[in-house]
Amino acid sequence: LFGALATAAHGRLALAGALCRPPQAGPFLYADLGELRPALAARGVSDSVELEDHLGARLGVRAPGGHRFADDPDALRVRFSPLALLPGDAARQRALDAAEPVSYTH
């Protein structure tokens, strides 16, 4: 399940123009959204603190900005947990039981 979610999340990030290494191991994806700076600025996002707030509100899950990991606060970096995209235990179980687990994520 984690592999499927991480691969799908990485694909979406790459399609959006983010720089992000493909998932290999571990529970997180680190993305650099610097290429999306003009689009994010139009939404009032100009640093990693604002990015964290914006994504948290939009996704409904915590997405810590890079400033929490000693990155320059002006860099638009964020850490995602693909498993956090599953809202609650029931959804997680449906995804675990599904032939296509990504179809059960929001």
Side-chain angles (χ1 to χ4, degrees):
L1 175 60
F2 175 77
L5 289 175
T7 298
H10 174 265
R12 292 288 179 122
L13 287 166
L15 282 174
L19 298 176
C20 183
R21 290 184 178 180
Q24 306 238 343
F28 301 105
L29 292 173
Y30 292 90
D32 184 335
L33 306 182
E35 296 293 320
L36 305 173
R37 188 174 292 278
L40 289 167
R43 292 172 173 80
V45 176
S46 63
D47 62 23
S48 65
V49 175
E50 293 169 348
L51 180 62
E52 176 181 290
D53 292 342
H54 176 76
L55 290 175
R58 183 154 169 94
L59 297 174
V61 296
R62 191 164 180 266
H67 64 285
R68 297 195 182 274
F69 308 101
D71 281 351
D72 180 348
D74 290 330
L76 294 172
R77 295 188 189 117
V78 65
R79 182 177 83 173
F80 291 99
S81 172
L83 290 179
L85 298 175
L86 292 173
D89 293 336
R92 191 169 290 124
Q93 190 59 54
R94 283 193 303 275
L96 282 167
D97 294 339
E100 295 292 328
V102 174
S103 67
Y104 284 92
T105 65
H106 69 286

